[in-house]
Amino acid sequence: MKKIILTMAFALGVASISKAQTKIPPAVQKLLQKNTCLACHNPDNRLVGPAYKEVMKQKKYKPEEIVELIYKPNPKNWPGYPPMAAMSQVPKEEAAIIAKWISSLK
Ligand code: HEC
């Protein structure tokens, strides 16, 4: 009996972890905030733009491709969303760090 309860507690624990919100590493969070990405994007949920996880699920981008899309978005990739404005003000190093993190999401 004890074993069954333990197994169930474990299963519930795993289920709640897999539903948990994505933890953004502090260094990345800072850049997402500074460059206003978070106003329109959440890792897990649709806001103005698609969830970063959804982007990776559908497109499986490499980091370089994401950097390019920050500077030159392609709204045709996301029907049903307003177009994202090109963000040429984002410094290259910061875009690279953000892109590397987005591309790591599953
Ligand atoms: C004003 C709202 C807004 C801001 C700010 C914004 N985005 Fe977006 N983003 C969108 C919308 C809407 C889409 C979907 C339509 C499109 O791609 O044009 C999108 C799409 C994307 C995509 C998918 C691109 C593709 O073609 O598949 C990525 C990656 C992305 N954004 C990253 C970022 C990053 C990183 C930042 C910050 C540097 C950022 N966005 C800032 C609204 C925004």
Side-chain angles (χ1 to χ4, degrees):
M1 186 59 189
K2 204 167 170 195
K3 204 168 171 191
I4 294 172
I5 292 173
L6 276 176
T7 308
M8 279 178 65
F10 180 73
L12 281 172
V14 170
S16 64
I17 287 168
S18 64
K19 260 202 229 133
Q21 299 283 298
T22 301
K23 263 226 173 308
I24 307 177
V28 176
Q29 168 96 19
K30 209 172 89 192
L31 298 181
L32 290 172
Q33 233 150 19
K34 171 177 171 232
N35 292 299
T36 70
C37 315
L38 293 180
C40 298
H41 292 281
N42 177 276
D44 307 283
N45 303 113
R46 176 180 180 154
L47 295 180
V48 179
Y52 287 143
K53 279 194 175 169
E54 188 61 30
V55 171
M56 287 316 292
K57 206 165 107 194
Q58 290 195 27
K59 314 284 186 189
K60 304 189 169 47
Y61 291 127
K62 296 193 193 72
E64 314 84 80
E65 295 174 299
I66 295 175
V67 170
E68 224 160 273
L69 285 163
I70 292 173
Y71 295 122
K72 199 164 171 288
N74 185 356
K76 284 201 207 82
N77 288 341
W78 295 94
Y81 287 88
M84 173 171 145
M87 305 198 58
S88 50
Q89 74 279 17
V90 179
K92 257 245 143 58
E93 322 78 77
E94 299 187 3
I97 293 167
I98 292 170
K100 192 167 166 225
W101 171 73
I102 294 176
S103 72
S104 76
L105 294 174
K106 298 206 174 69

